[in-house]
């Protein structure tokens, strides 16, 4: 059981981050923000996949101007992602956004940052204070020689102190290093010294396969240490994949549950059914369903009985057939052709029972 670090709550619209809130899942659109319909379509799809806060890039005035309509029609709070330009930051703040992401290191003007924070306070807009190894202050680079974990943590601590000195507290921090260990260490140092909520993620993790592994390792270590109030898995892939992977990471640590949990064996020479295809079909039919069930799909009886006992429902496969288990008890024998249909039918029935009779 993970014991989470105690943090103070921050509010992005109606979503609480930190305090007693669960770890919140975020993603970022990859559409041109000024293409309002495309952006909203993607936000709606991400919301359906479980995304709870969405960040959209605002690199131009045209994008900042589109925010008003996006915010008014979005089902989840919207954060504007701002780099370099205080002018675009102010323009975005006029649109009703719920949060703004700023890297003070690339705005590099304390006066302007103070003005942005005052406006955020007036409008009750949350801030994500970002520190990246690529935009670290000169004085820290001189002190440490390179963007070390200590340098990143110190930058985040200094800027947090600045935010608090100007009377702004509705913010979370993200510290992004270029590799997993640097990232973990920088977040750990920061977490030891403050109760400010942390947004964690492994930046530019890569394509789906490699990026998911890298994210699972980095986020897994931090989350196991109790660090992380909101996550984004950054993949060079469809953002819906980011949300799916984020839930899988959180689910494996018992921090969130989304959809069914499939326990399936890796298969071996004992296999007598096409297990990968069966698993693929079950996941395809139920992957998006929000059913908190453990489903075991095992290639043979070697581990199946034990796993089936732990699972809510399962298949113990054999020679072109399987025993369907429920709560560890055999229910019936099904042929390979019937397996997916029967399992999905039973799972939907269990969902209906849990919802008080409505499937
Ligand atoms: S459950 Fe059976 S088929 Fe699957 S890996 Fe184990 S021994 Fe092999």
């Amino acid at each position: 059981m993970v014991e989470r670090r105690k943090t103070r709550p921050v509010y992005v619209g109606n979503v609480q981050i930190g305090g007693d809130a669960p770890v919140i899942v975020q993603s970022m659109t990859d559409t041109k923000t000024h293409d309002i319909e495309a952006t909203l379509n993607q936000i709606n799809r991400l919301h359906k996949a479980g995304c709870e806060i969405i960040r959209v890039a605002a690199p131009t005035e045209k994008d900042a101007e589109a925010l008003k309509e996006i915010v008014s029609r979005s089902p989840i709070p919207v954060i504007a992602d701002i780099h370099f330009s205080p002018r675009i930051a102010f323009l975005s703040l006029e649109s009703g956004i719920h949060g703004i992401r700023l890297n003070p290191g690339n705005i590099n003007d304390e006066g302007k940052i103070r003005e942005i924070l005052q406006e955020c306070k007036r409008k009750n807009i949350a801030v994500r204070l970002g520190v990246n190894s690529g935009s670290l202050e000169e004085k820290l680079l001189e002190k440490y020689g390179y963007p070390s974990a200590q340098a990143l943590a110190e930058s985040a601590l200094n800027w947090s102190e600045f935010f608090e000195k100007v009377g702004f507290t509705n913010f979370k921090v993200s510290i992004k290093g270029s590799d997993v260990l640097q990232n973990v260490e920088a977040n750990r140092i920061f977490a030891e010294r403050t109760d400010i909520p942390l947004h964690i993620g492994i930046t530019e993790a890569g394509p789906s396969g490699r990026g998911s592994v890298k994210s699972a390792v980095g986020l897994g270590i931090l989350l196991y240490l109790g660090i992380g109030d909101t996550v984004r898995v950054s993949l060079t892939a469809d953002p819906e994949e980011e949300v799916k992977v984020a839930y899988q990471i959180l689910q494996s640590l018992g921090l969130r549950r989304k959809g069914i949990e499939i326990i399936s064996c890796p298969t071996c020479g004992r296999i007598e059914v096409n297990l990968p295809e069966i698993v693929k079909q079950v996941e395809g039919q139920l992957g998006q369903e929000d059913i908190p069930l453990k489903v075991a799909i095992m290639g043979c009886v070697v581990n199946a009985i034990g796993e089936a006992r732990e699972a809510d429902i399962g298949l113990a496969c054999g020679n072109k057939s399987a025993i369907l288990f429920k709560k560890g008890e055999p229910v019936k024998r099904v042929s390979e052709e019937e397996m997916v249909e029967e399992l999905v039918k039973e799972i939907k029935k269990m969902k209906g029972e849990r919802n008080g009779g409505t499937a």
Side-chain angles (χ1 to χ4, degrees):
M1 174 91 176
V2 171
E3 196 179 322
R4 292 184 56 210
R5 165 182 169 248
K6 296 207 180 338
T7 52
R8 66 191 188 205
V10 161
Y11 296 90
V12 182
N14 59 0
V15 175
Q16 182 184 325
I17 292 171
D20 57 2
V23 181
I24 299 297
V25 174
Q26 303 196 24
S27 185
M28 188 169 181
T29 51
D30 61 6
T31 54
K32 292 286 178 205
T33 302
H34 58 258
D35 186 343
I36 296 174
E37 292 311 317
T39 303
L40 278 164
N41 279 342
Q42 193 170 55
I43 293 175
N44 283 323
R45 283 203 309 277
L46 285 163
H47 168 56
K48 223 169 146 198
C51 179
E52 294 163 307
I53 293 177
I54 189 70
R55 185 155 50 106
V56 299
T60 67
E61 286 188 18
K62 205 169 149 193
D63 296 308
E65 280 156 9
L67 289 172
K68 195 172 177 188
E69 187 166 351
I70 291 169
V71 171
S72 70
R73 291 168 55 196
S74 169
I76 47 177
V78 178
I79 295 181
D81 191 68
I82 308 294
H83 289 282
F84 308 110
S85 171
R87 195 168 43 84
I88 294 179
F90 284 115
L91 207 58
S92 303
L93 296 180
E94 295 306 312
S95 65
I97 47 164
H98 307 95
I100 186 166
R101 182 266 184 105
L102 295 174
N103 276 20
N106 69 30
I107 290 187
N108 210 13
D109 180 335
E110 288 192 2
K112 286 285 178 226
I113 294 166
R114 186 179 290 115
E115 281 175 40
I116 293 169
L117 294 178
Q118 281 160 352
E119 194 58 10
C120 287
K121 190 169 180 183
R122 217 172 57 75
K123 291 187 149 73
N124 199 20
I125 294 171
V127 174
R128 166 176 156 194
L129 188 181
V131 169
N132 277 54
S133 52
S135 55
L136 204 63
E137 300 89 295
E138 274 303 316
K139 60 176 195 269
L140 287 172
L141 282 175
E142 276 169 29
K143 182 175 169 186
Y144 289 96
Y146 70 103
S148 64
Q150 284 85 347
L152 291 168
E154 196 171 314
S155 174
L157 288 162
N158 290 345
W159 280 113
S160 299
E161 207 179 296
F162 176 87
F163 275 35
E164 285 170 350
K165 262 197 197 137
V166 302
F168 192 80
T169 53
N170 195 29
F171 70 98
K172 60 193 161 96
V173 165
S174 68
I175 308 174
K176 303 283 182 74
S178 52
D179 73 49
V180 171
L181 291 179
Q182 183 193 39
N183 208 314
V184 167
E185 188 56 11
N187 278 285
R188 202 187 54 75
I189 296 170
F190 182 87
E192 271 173 10
R193 289 167 178 70
T194 78
D195 68 349
I196 299 166
L198 275 164
H199 170 112
I200 58 170
I202 304 300
T203 196
E204 293 132 20
S208 197
R210 282 169 189 269
S212 301
V213 172
K214 213 168 157 185
S215 297
V217 172
L219 297 185
I221 297 171
L222 284 169
L223 291 164
Y224 181 70
L225 295 174
I227 298 168
D229 300 280
T230 174
V231 298
R232 180 200 173 191
V233 171
S234 307
L235 299 176
T236 314
D238 190 318
E240 281 172 74
E241 183 69 14
E242 297 187 348
V243 174
K244 201 168 110 192
V245 174
Y247 276 103
Q248 285 168 353
I249 294 171
L250 294 172
Q251 188 156 321
S252 64
L253 290 164
L255 288 164
R256 295 289 300 266
R257 279 202 79 150
K258 177 103 190 131
I260 54 167
E261 181 178 349
I262 295 183
I263 301 151
S264 59
C265 80
T267 78
C268 70
R270 288 189 183 85
I271 197 86
E272 290 181 292
V273 294
N274 186 352
L275 201 80
E277 183 56 30
I278 293 164
V279 172
K280 193 171 141 200
Q281 284 189 30
V282 172
E283 197 163 33
Q285 292 190 39
L286 296 172
Q288 293 295 321
E289 298 252 358
D290 205 358
I291 318 173
L293 289 178
K294 267 192 187 180
V295 180
I297 306 176
M298 305 300 290
C300 76
V301 290
V302 172
N303 291 315
I305 306 297
E307 292 292 356
R309 238 181 251 125
E310 297 297 315
D312 297 292
I313 186 163
L315 287 173
C317 300
N319 186 8
K320 303 285 170 208
S321 66
I323 303 286
L324 182 78
F325 284 92
K326 252 181 162 181
K327 298 277 169 216
E329 296 298 326
V331 175
K332 60 172 134 175
R333 180 174 285 279
V334 286
S335 71
E336 186 167 3
E337 293 71 39
E338 300 166 328
M339 281 179 201
V340 174
E341 197 187 325
E342 287 294 324
L343 184 64
V344 169
K345 196 168 87 188
E346 286 298 328
I347 291 171
K348 289 192 170 168
K349 205 163 116 193
M350 287 169 92
K351 180 189 179 186
E353 285 160 11
R354 287 189 179 197
N355 292 343
T358 49

